[in-house]
Amino acid sequence: MAQRNLPPPTRVPTPPDAFAAGSARLQVERRIRSPVLRRLASTIGNMPPQVTEHELREYLSAQPEDPDALWLLAQALRRAKRLREAAGLLEHCLQLAPDFTLARYNYADLLAQLAKYEAALYQLRILLGRDCRNPLFRNLEASILETIGENDQSIAILQELSAENPSRAEFWVSYGHGLRALGKQKESVAAYRKAIACRPTFGVAWWSLANMKTVKFEDAEREAMATQLKRAELSPDDRVTLQFSLGKAYEDRKDYARSFEQYARANATLRLRLNYDPGTLGAAVAATRALFTPAFLQDRHGAGCQASDPSFIVGRPRSGSTLIEQILASHSAIEGTAELPYIAALAARLADHDGDSPPGAKYLAALEKLPRERLRSLGEEYLEAARLHRKLDRPLFIDKKPGNFFYVGLIHLILPNAKIVDARRQPAANGFSMFKSYSSKGRFRLAELGRFYRDYLSLMAHFDAVLPGRVHRVFYEQLVADPECEVRRLLEYLGLPFEEGCLRFFETKRTVLTPSSEQVRRPITSEAIEYWRAYEPYLGPLLNSLGSALISYPEVPEELR
């Protein structure tokens, strides 16, 4: 009997993981009816946001109640970093189409970016009520819960997500971050290594290991990263994070020339992401100094909210602010919270400004015109927003956001009894530490880091002059050399009695979300103070741009006062 020609076996596609399936469901759940909007939706990622916005606004002038058009316009505005406008459009969209799940998910995500965490969680509760297992919703929920200090809930969700999606490298990294914040270093390292096993090209997983100061890369790991960097199809994000990680691997071997080469390549790529004029901050500092005169401050004396709860730690990143926070959070009267976004958000709203850069002249002009009672209400608004992060019922709390140095004047006006601590570190050490650390937002050039530091010195020197004694300064090197003396000075400034636990800060069990989480769980050492000198031959642009600020440290050069 002749054998029949059978058709080839049907190839069954590998089912997507739950994350991909959840994302796919959101994309196809609602079909855009209008052919015009379908065309715009297909090109929105490739067209300049202003072009898409123009076409959508023309469409909405004839169809103002079309939720699909409102949703698409919100996506265009979000790409243009006009986040508050985008949020308003999505709110209106959901009023017209409450079952528009993707729009509600976008709205929740946007609210979280705008630091409206309770509102974002409310939207997520609606989404999870409809699809309680959707990993997109749960992942966003975990991220917000971590941000507001609900770490047990967050880590439980992340543990579930990584177990349910074992091939999804992103979940392992998020789970590792949660474990690291809780001080579970061994488990965190294991989670990061699982992410690398899932996807050896995943640069963020490699960088997560590199950024743990207690981890030293082995030769095999260094070679693995170098091999991955040879792949032509590597994404830009993976390439950059692998270069930072390989730089750390060479650093571990004390091969500083190769290490710096990798850091420099990564930074050069990241600099392309920034639309930054080095003169912007200098102009903003000059305008701030011009506004905050003794007469301006005297006219507003006694205004603002009189609460004394908050202590702000400001300065430049990588200057010891996390260490100071950990020391203070070891005192029975003080709670450490996080790097809270609310002061910058208040300034941005005053200026009707979106984006990451300081709002500058518009913010200062708006601040100058504010009535006294408005200063008080802004202080109260800040305290209400910060309440979400306070868990321990202690009388005082810390807001450790270094960039708030730009808003020292605003803090003083709206919260005149708040304490302000300036964390300062030797400028070359500070600049190089920033240069070798990955930031998804981008990185300044070495010369720009030096110029930024000088602008920071100039602004802080001005407030020292017009508000003498208002800001307490902690020099990192002095804190390392004589911890007890510096801690006593700091507590005296805060009006608190000395407690021995502040010197044993490394025993304090608390969540630490910043890159210095490992260091503050160990006793103080001096190893980081002169470490930058191993790279000194390569740091000419930084050293030259610092100029007198480097020579005079810890004093401020006369021309910057």
Side-chain angles (χ1 to χ4, degrees), residues 25 59 190 271 350 358 502 516 531 534 540 554:
R25 283 200 306 276
Y59 180 93
R271 181 59 180 84
L350 286 175
C502 292
S516 301
Y531 192 77

Side-chain angles (χ1 to χ4, degrees), residues 2 44 86 190 243 275 332 386 397 442 445 452 468-469 485 507 518 547:
I44 196 169
Q243 285 169 333
N275 180 20
S332 61
F397 73 96
R445 299 184 181 98
F452 198 114
C485 176
E507 297 175 351
E518 284 75 49

